[in-house]
Amino acid sequence: MLKTTFSSALALAVGLAAGVAGAPAVAQTMDYGALEELFGEPVTTSATGKPQRVTDAPVNMVIITAEDIRRSAANDIPEVLRRVGGLSVMRNSMGQADVSVRGYNQPYAPRLLVLLDGRQVYLDHFAMTAWQNLPVQLSEIRQIEIIKGPNAALFGFNAVGGVINIVTYNPLHDDVNFAEATVGTQDHIQGSVAKTVRMGENTGVRVSAGAFKSSEFSTDVNPAFAAFRRNPETKSVRAQSVSQLSDTEQLSLEGTFSRTDESGYLPFPGYSTSRFKTWSVKGGYSVDTSLGLIDATVYHNAFEGFVNCRMAGWVPLDNSVTVLKVQDLFKVGTDHTARLAAEFRDNSISNTPSVSEGRTGYKVYSGSAMWDWQATSDIAWNNAVRLDVMDLYRTGPSHANAMYTNADYDNRRIWGVSYNSGAVYKPTEQDTFRVSTGRGLQAPSLIELGFHMDAPLPSPPMPAGSTLFTSGNPNMKPTVVTNYEIGYDRGLPEIEGKARAAVFYQTNRDLKSLPPDPAGVPPVLTREFENVGDSNLWGFGLGVSSDRADGIRWAANYVHLQATDSLSVDANRYPVRFEESTPEHTINASVGYTTGPWEMDLYTQLTSGYGVLETNLVGGMPVRSHKDISASAMVSGRVGYNITDRTSIALIGVGIDEAEHAVSAAPEAERRVFLRLSTRY
């Protein structure tokens, strides 16, 4: 029998945190500040919907706090994430970086679900994340949650390699007002600002904006690709409001816009220039009822851009997605929390290069259920399952060289089941054991399903007038990722720190790729996306950290990864070479000290060698070759001085140990140094 709503329990937690037990229920307002006071550390509500310490969550999660972000020697989110054990960050240019969880990194890394306050910000056309294009400023982020492994049943569509959940300050509870200016090497100029206002007692509004521009790295690049280098530039703005309509109702609204120009590396692979803009609108309504906390969210993401793809020239891209989600979170008795959810998604892309050639898309109907059981005071068990049914569609005329008709799409249905299960055992206040497993589906991207593009081929060696045609494939299967994991967390009060360890085994079935070498008969040579085989991964991670009251802090972590590919194709001809491109050993170490107004932090990353595929142009034709990335170190640091309680200045260095760092198939990344002035008002 339903004894109490989840929201009432949460209201009690908030009331206790504020020292006002029995305060009126304001259930839908997730006051993270009050919850942190209650738990004595950063908390999360994203995994199960209820407030939890990281060690209590049924998933492998790391939280980067706002203070961690502020002290990090970083100027963007990828560099902030570099410090986390198990994350791979490949810097391809001044503006572009690729991030993955536990190896399998590649250009336009598609295995990572990135959320901004619950809205997906990865782009569906390539299933990628354009990190510089995210409409969020570092100083408005409350915390970044990193969830490792497939977690689609808990977090949503396409969460297969992991999840990055970016949580910003709530304008209803947090008066966040700041202005920042940054200058640096590579002619870097950057600024950001945010203002929070109250409209009455029950509505908070925050508007934030940021912009930067700089020169691209000047490191050596293949002469054939030199023309594709472009100085990066980004502009973004975001408006967010939260209104408490009554003690049991809350309304949230959000609108964003971003525009980015940059150069980087394509997944084909190859160097390219990109120009694109994104915008979004989002609305959410939640209400506390006798049946639980019911939440409805709808948002629309739009993407418009151009990519300069070598022989094809500027290729237009046009992608839009609309998502509607409804869920009910409720408690049964005192020990059981449940969540039921339904989701609809409509996603489409123009078939290129002419929008008049029609659109390819899919509609996804999803249902999910979660059950969280506090079996005893020491043992909790969480189970979640999700069903996705994807119906493809295609509208409009076909490309002249199209390999499939509209009927091939309209009769195609892809479906699959994802699940997560995690048990947490806390025999003492300091010890936590976790056993978990998860299965997630990485759906084919819209590019892989239905993108059409042709490009003239040079001659010789190809016959004069030959054309290379790239085709989407409606028969693509989703990649299935399954993970098995055992973890252990240990509090270390004697050093005011904590230690973590985890060992895991992961399988990847039906990896996807685009063959670089065409097959066909002139004058049209064709290639299409396809599933190319499997890969397995095992590994373990160890970490220890300390943040002492006397101002001394330090941390170290080590991750070992071992990938084994079983491909149905020649790995030397395909961009998929995870066995070689996943570094076996990665060590992160940091040390910091605060004394009076001074703050000093130093970060070091050591990575063993690995190999990647790179693309060069020979006689105008793309040629694949193997590139060795040697074992290396990267040192970054920050020295900050608090001029007043609200104003600070900081000198930040990224990769300061070497003038250049080779980390991907793209040209080497240069040393970067920034000077930042920040004020809060």
Side-chain angles (χ1 to χ4, degrees):
M1 187 176 79
L2 186 66
K3 294 184 178 180
T4 180
T5 65
F6 166 80
S7 53
S8 299
L10 178 58
L12 176 61
V14 175
L16 289 173
V20 199
V26 190
Q28 296 76 34
T29 302
M30 292 296 184
D31 189 342
Y32 280 86
L35 293 173
E36 288 177 10
E37 290 183 22
L38 173 65
F39 286 95
E41 61 182 275
V43 299
T44 178
T45 62
S46 61
T48 63
K50 65 181 183 181
Q52 292 178 304
R53 299 179 178 91
V54 169
T55 53
D56 294 336
V59 295
N60 187 322
M61 179 186 292
V62 176
I63 291 182
I64 301 176
T65 67
E67 188 67 6
D68 296 331
I69 296 171
R70 189 184 64 81
R71 290 199 307 249
S72 67
N75 199 50
D76 56 23
I77 293 177
E79 292 301 330
V80 173
L81 298 175
R82 187 184 295 276
R83 328 295 178 208
V84 178
L87 266 63
S88 170
V89 178
M90 288 187 176
R91 174 69 59 176
N92 297 316
S93 68
M94 186 68 179
Q96 188 200 60
D98 291 307
V99 180
S100 71
V101 176
R102 292 176 174 169
Y104 294 92
N105 207 349
Q106 65 186 101
Y108 285 17
R111 296 162 56 90
L112 183 64
L113 173 63
V114 183
L115 301 172
L116 174 59
D117 289 331
R119 178 180 67 87
Q120 73 167 56
V121 288
Y122 82 93
L123 302 172
D124 290 278
H125 64 296
F126 261 117
M128 60 172 285
T129 301
W131 292 98
Q132 287 292 357
N133 191 252
L134 299 191
V136 62
Q137 313 307 314
L138 285 179
S139 292
E140 68 176 318
I141 298 175
R142 170 177 283 280
Q143 63 191 43
I144 302 176
E145 301 171 351
I146 299 98
I147 302 93
K148 302 174 185 178
N151 281 275
L154 289 172
F155 287 88
F157 189 72
N158 255 3
V160 288
V163 182
I164 303 293
N165 185 36
I166 302 170
V167 180
T168 65
Y169 287 100
N170 187 324
L172 189 59
H173 295 293
D174 306 303
D175 291 327
V176 175
N177 306 285
F178 62 82
E180 294 184 339
T182 304
V183 296
T185 54
Q186 289 84 26
D187 305 315
H188 187 89
I189 301 175
Q190 183 175 357
S192 62
V193 63
K195 176 64 177 177
T196 305
V197 297
R198 290 294 183 91
M199 303 177 66
E201 295 184 357
N202 297 320
T203 298
V205 178
R206 184 175 68 249
V207 178
S208 62
F212 94 94
K213 64 178 182 178
S214 66
S215 297
E216 187 50 87
F217 296 146
S218 58
T219 45
D220 291 340
V221 65
N222 184 291
F225 290 127
F228 297 101
R229 275 193 154 165
R230 183 175 181 85
N231 293 335
E233 183 174 350
T234 290
K235 303 179 181 69
S236 69
V237 62
R238 181 179 186 228
Q240 181 185 23
S241 72
V242 180
S243 299
Q244 196 70 43
L245 304 179
S246 69
D247 287 348
T248 59
E249 296 175 282
Q250 187 179 99
L251 177 69
S252 62
L253 300 171
E254 178 192 79
T256 73
F257 176 82
S258 293
R259 182 170 181 171
T260 297
D261 287 30
E262 65 183 19
S263 53
Y265 218 66
L266 287 169
F268 298 132
Y271 210 68
S272 69
T273 303
S274 300
R275 300 174 180 173
F276 48 82
K277 62 182 179 181
T278 60
W279 61 269
S280 71
V281 291
K282 174 189 170 187
Y285 172 76
S286 56
V287 57
D288 183 9
T289 73
S290 60
L291 297 178
L293 180 60
I294 299 175
D295 182 83
T297 303
V298 60
Y299 63 83
H300 178 82
N301 293 346
F303 169 91
E304 297 177 10
F306 295 85
V307 176
N308 197 334
C309 298
R310 302 189 306 266
M311 297 171 293
W314 287 100
V315 177
L317 297 170
D318 171 19
N319 173 217
S320 63
V321 57
T322 300
V323 177
L324 172 62
K325 180 179 179 180
V326 179
Q327 70 173 32
D328 183 16
L329 183 67
F330 56 93
K331 290 186 71 69
V332 179
T334 58
D335 300 327
H336 303 273
T337 302
R339 180 172 63 199
L340 301 176
E343 182 178 304
F344 170 75
R345 172 182 302 259
D346 189 356
N347 205 349
S348 66
I349 189 173
S350 59
N351 286 331
T352 176
S354 170
V355 177
S356 65
E357 291 170 2
R359 296 183 72 82
T360 300
Y362 55 72
K363 296 181 180 180
V364 182
Y365 307 87
S366 306
S368 63
M370 182 209 72
W371 167 50
D372 190 77
W373 177 30
Q374 189 68 46
T376 69
S377 60
D378 302 331
I379 300 175
W381 188 25
N382 181 277
N383 294 278
V385 63
R386 177 184 173 103
L387 172 65
D388 289 295
V389 179
M390 174 189 289
D391 288 335
L392 304 187
Y393 65 85
R394 192 187 184 287
T395 61
S398 298
H399 191 284
N401 295 324
M403 302 173 62
Y404 300 96
T405 68
N406 289 3
D408 293 319
Y409 289 86
D410 296 340
N411 295 326
R412 173 71 166 136
R413 168 170 288 183
I414 303 172
W415 67 277
V417 175
S418 303
Y419 63 78
N420 286 96
S421 181
V424 179
Y425 172 50
K426 296 179 69 71
T428 72
E429 181 63 26
Q430 303 300 333
D431 296 286
T432 303
F433 295 88
R434 183 182 301 102
V435 179
S436 63
T437 181
R439 180 182 193 263
L441 305 178
Q442 180 192 352
S445 71
L446 287 165
I447 293 287
E448 293 167 332
L449 287 170
F451 196 67
H452 294 161
M453 182 180 70
D454 54 18
L457 292 174
S459 56
M462 295 297 175
S466 294
T467 297
L468 172 61
F469 180 70
T470 301
S471 173
N473 181 358
N475 298 313
M476 292 279 289
K477 295 184 290 185
T479 297
V480 180
V481 182
T482 307
N483 190 75
Y484 310 90
E485 184 164 339
I486 300 174
Y488 172 63
D489 296 348
R490 168 72 180 177
L492 302 173
E494 58 274 15
I495 64 169
E496 299 177 58
K498 56 188 177 182
R500 305 196 78 183
V503 59
F504 50 88
Y505 177 75
Q506 183 182 112
T507 64
N508 300 265
R509 299 293 177 259
D510 295 317
L511 296 168
K512 305 185 299 294
S513 182
L514 174 69
D517 298 331
V521 178
V524 178
L525 294 86
T526 60
R527 61 178 179 177
E528 63 178 331
F529 293 88
E530 59 186 1
N531 297 100
V532 296
D534 307 328
S535 182
N536 297 331
L537 174 80
W538 74 271
F540 63 89
L542 306 170
V544 61
S545 63
S546 172
D547 192 351
R548 292 166 35 175
D550 60 5
I552 298 175
R553 54 189 171 272
W554 57 268
N557 60 69
Y558 167 73
V559 174
H560 175 82
L561 300 175
Q562 188 72 55
T564 304
D565 294 339
S566 178
L567 305 179
S568 59
V569 297
D570 179 2
N572 292 316
R573 298 172 52 238
Y574 281 69
V576 177
R577 293 183 70 173
F578 295 126
E579 185 172 324
E580 295 186 15
S581 63
T582 298
E584 290 188 24
H585 311 282
T586 304
I587 298 174
N588 290 294
S590 66
V591 61
Y593 181 55
T594 297
T595 176
W598 290 95
E599 297 175 326
M600 293 157 281
D601 290 273
L602 189 68
Y603 302 87
T604 300
Q605 182 176 78
L606 305 174
T607 306
S608 61
Y610 53 98
V612 295
L613 281 180
E614 66 176 344
T615 298
N616 292 309
L617 293 184
V618 178
M621 286 294 296
V623 176
R624 312 292 185 224
S625 61
H626 181 79
K627 179 179 180 180
D628 287 319
I629 306 296
S630 301
S632 63
M634 179 179 290
V635 179
S636 301
R638 175 185 180 271
V639 177
Y641 180 78
N642 294 308
I643 302 171
T644 69
D645 290 342
R646 294 179 174 271
T647 303
S648 64
I649 190 169
L651 182 65
I652 299 168
V654 181
I656 56 179
D657 56 310
E658 297 281 351
E660 301 174 0
H661 289 84
V663 294
S664 73
E668 285 75 7
E670 293 178 332
R671 176 191 294 125
R672 286 146 282 157
V673 179
F674 308 102
L675 183 66
R676 177 180 298 154
L677 179 65
S678 305
T679 185
R680 293 183 177 271
Y681 55 92

